[in-house]
Amino acid sequence: MTRSEAISRAVRQFDDGHFQDALARRVAYQTESEEPGQAAAQHAYLREELAPLLQRLGFSVDIHPNPASVDLPLLVARRIEHPDLPTVLMYGHADVVRGNAAKWSDGLAPWRLQVDGDRWYGRGTADNKGQHSINLAALEQVIEAREGRLGFNAKLLFETGEEAGSPGLGAFCEAQRETLSADLFLASDGPRLAADRPTLFMGSRGAVNFELSVQLRERAYHSGNWGGLLANPAILLSHAIASLVDARGRIVIDALRPPAMPPQLRQVLDGLQVGGGADDPEVDTHWGEPGLTRAEQVFGWNSLDVLTLSAGDPAKPVNAIQPQASAWCQLRFVVGTDWRRLQQHVREHLDSHGFSMVQVRVGAHAGATRLLPDDPWVQWAARSLRETTGKDPVLLPNLGGSLPNDIFADQLGLPTIWIPHSYPACAQHAPNEHLLGSVAREGLAIMAGLYWDLGESAQQVRSRRH
């Protein structure tokens, strides 16, 4: 059987409804990793949905306890055709963010796949059940097209805690380093640059969340009796935040800014357009670091945002000076940022600006990674996508968002390539999350072509890289 026939087999899974049936079944699992009560659904998804399929495809499958949480198991599957063949580590996550069913539009529900034209609605359709379902369907068809062989060794790692910050994943991968060893990491998550532009990204910006809080007294006091006499925590906190990032969104504190952008990165990002799609928000052209293009802002620079800001009860304001205020902030950062000392940098900055009363606490975080497009694996993947789609793929050294890619790139030492099957306006993490059918269909073709090409040329690419 030929490459084109294998691709046709994969696309047929979309056209005849098999892919839709599988995704509908998977969306129905309420695998909310932020909800402890849904642990049973996490285990069931791995045990009932993924394990039987992978075993049928010739994988040995093991479901492991998570070293950080019994509620968030991990699945490892291995299919070794020959020890001398190149090995590819694939990844996906079975968990989703909270369903928030009450906030979905009429007629839509998070746990039911609903197709409306090109939009396939349901929690996890874009992040990540739809994406790993595309990859599994394509892999199955290539195995069948090659009469039971791939021509490379395949390993799969599925976690169930990505949306909760991937607790335990790093420790698990360290303990399973030999089991997960590979020549290439290949996975799908995140969005394309645009719906009609096949995309490769080879890393991700890092993210670190940190809380700023002011606690001045034990209780609130009447604003008529004490206003003008008592320092207001919310006002102090607002000014503290403003000392970190200015009114136009530019990061002021030098220690949170990245090093100079490498010329090669600027060249790669030159001409890329961010936004402009039918459902994309209108970009605020005055916002962020001056002198950078939109692509440079998202893929080559750092951003600092406030995620939550609270003092008192916003739903029930009272005439009182509140005793405390807090804000969760987030730094998205690129390679080279001294993010591990963020707490020290922010503490020193606030103290020097008179905000010693503001406390700093670091929360969830993930490191930044980047692989430039001149890597042989990237060039190979780009050729494969070009041959399958007839389009020049977008090559992004890193995604603007964050993934646990540092575990695979830095900890396991793998070249990492992501082929996203979503798009920027998919509403992931929000009500009305959806996958575009047209992108899913093209994704099935892309992945079947990639898996076929791995069997044909992975050994040559591995030799060139070494």
Side-chain angles (χ1 to χ4, degrees):
M1 192 168 287
T2 66
R3 182 183 194 273
S4 60
E5 289 172 327
I7 291 173
S8 295
R9 289 176 63 100
V11 172
R12 194 176 305 129
Q13 296 295 299
F14 183 93
D15 294 340
D16 66 13
H18 279 85
F19 176 76
Q20 181 177 335
D21 291 344
L23 184 55
R25 195 171 60 246
R26 292 166 187 165
V27 166
Y29 286 84
Q30 299 183 28
T31 53
E32 301 162 292
S33 56
E34 298 164 298
E35 296 290 344
Q38 299 292 36
Q42 304 276 44
H43 286 268
Y45 190 89
L46 300 185
R47 185 181 62 253
E48 300 170 0
E49 192 60 38
L50 295 184
L53 168 62
L54 294 170
Q55 289 167 341
R56 181 163 53 81
L57 297 181
F59 286 84
S60 63
V61 178
D62 294 293
I63 297 176
H64 299 265
N66 188 314
S69 172
V70 296
D71 294 340
L72 305 174
L74 301 108
L75 180 148
V76 174
R78 301 168 73 243
R79 190 181 192 277
I80 307 300
E81 293 189 358
H82 193 282
D84 294 335
L85 287 174
T87 300
V88 180
L89 175 63
M90 307 172 195
Y91 163 87
H93 64 89
D95 64 312
V96 297
V97 298
R98 292 183 177 91
N100 288 324
K103 297 182 179 180
W104 286 57
S105 297
D106 290 345
L108 302 179
W111 314 118
R112 184 184 73 248
L113 183 67
Q114 179 70 38
V115 177
D116 183 6
D118 197 32
R119 295 189 174 194
W120 294 30
Y121 290 96
R123 180 61 82 215
T125 50
D127 187 16
N128 176 256
K129 293 175 180 177
Q131 302 216 37
H132 68 242
S133 292
I134 289 169
N135 294 359
L136 290 172
L139 187 69
E140 179 178 15
Q141 295 309 308
V142 171
I143 290 174
E144 292 185 6
R146 286 188 178 274
E147 298 181 345
R149 59 179 295 273
L150 281 170
F152 63 93
N153 300 321
K155 299 178 180 179
L156 283 84
L157 169 63
F158 278 90
E159 67 163 319
T160 58
E162 196 270 350
E163 302 295 3
S166 297
L169 181 63
F172 177 80
C173 288
E174 185 61 37
Q176 300 286 330
R177 176 180 289 274
E178 184 175 349
T179 300
L180 300 174
S181 63
D183 298 289
L184 172 68
F185 174 89
L186 185 67
S188 298
D189 204 343
R192 294 177 167 192
L193 183 69
D196 61 349
R197 302 210 56 188
T199 299
L200 296 170
F201 63 84
M202 289 74 73
S204 65
R205 282 201 297 183
V208 55
N209 293 356
F210 60 101
E211 183 188 33
L212 301 179
S213 61
V214 180
Q215 177 80 46
L216 295 184
R217 50 192 71 90
E218 292 300 318
R219 65 181 182 87
Y221 287 88
H222 193 281
S223 57
N225 297 335
W226 298 101
L229 298 177
L230 298 183
N232 188 304
I235 293 174
L236 289 170
L237 182 60
S238 298
H239 283 277
I241 294 170
S243 78
L244 301 178
V245 58
D246 71 15
R248 292 181 177 270
R250 178 181 180 273
I251 297 173
V252 175
I253 177 172
D254 288 339
L256 301 187
R257 293 165 60 83
M261 201 178 305
Q264 188 177 1
L265 180 59
R266 283 189 180 272
Q267 183 179 359
V268 170
L269 299 178
D270 183 41
L272 294 185
Q273 298 299 315
V274 178
D279 296 312
D280 292 340
E282 184 176 348
V283 173
D284 295 312
T285 56
H286 68 282
W287 192 258
E289 184 70 19
L292 300 183
T293 67
R294 295 180 184 179
E296 289 170 345
Q297 289 271 24
V298 175
F299 305 115
W301 203 252
N302 294 357
S303 63
L304 197 160
D305 286 289
V306 176
L307 305 181
T308 66
L309 184 62
S310 65
D313 185 350
K316 299 177 181 178
V318 297
N319 298 322
I321 301 168
Q322 297 300 323
Q324 65 87 32
S326 68
W328 275 99
C329 303
Q330 182 183 72
L331 179 71
R332 296 273 183 176
F333 60 91
V334 297
V335 170
T337 303
D338 188 19
W339 69 276
R340 293 190 182 277
R341 294 197 295 165
L342 178 140
Q343 186 167 12
Q344 175 187 335
H345 293 317
V346 174
R347 177 75 276 150
E348 292 175 352
H349 174 87
L350 292 175
D351 288 348
S352 69
H353 285 70
F355 296 112
S356 59
M357 78 293 294
V358 179
Q359 301 301 306
V360 183
R361 179 167 67 96
V362 173
H365 51 77
T369 54
R370 177 188 290 158
L371 182 66
L372 292 172
D374 58 359
D375 187 276
W377 281 116
V378 179
Q379 293 299 309
W380 162 83
R383 285 193 298 272
S384 178
L385 264 69
R386 192 176 298 113
E387 181 178 353
T388 299
T389 66
K391 307 172 187 177
D392 286 326
V394 176
L395 303 181
L396 297 175
N398 56 263
L399 178 71
S402 300
L403 294 163
N405 196 60
D406 57 324
I407 294 173
F408 310 116
D410 297 336
Q411 188 173 318
L412 296 182
L414 302 179
T416 56
I417 295 178
W418 298 77
I419 302 93
H421 307 312
S422 183
Y423 79 117
C426 67
Q428 70 180 102
H429 294 194
N432 303 339
E433 178 183 345
H434 61 277
L435 176 74
L436 293 183
S438 55
V439 174
R441 190 177 190 274
E442 187 173 60
L444 286 162
I446 285 172
M447 298 310 296
L450 273 169
Y451 295 142
W452 184 276
D453 293 341
L454 278 169
E456 294 289 310
S457 57
Q459 292 195 69
Q460 298 94 306
V461 179
R462 180 176 65 176
S463 298
R464 286 201 303 274
R465 197 171 194 272
H466 294 294

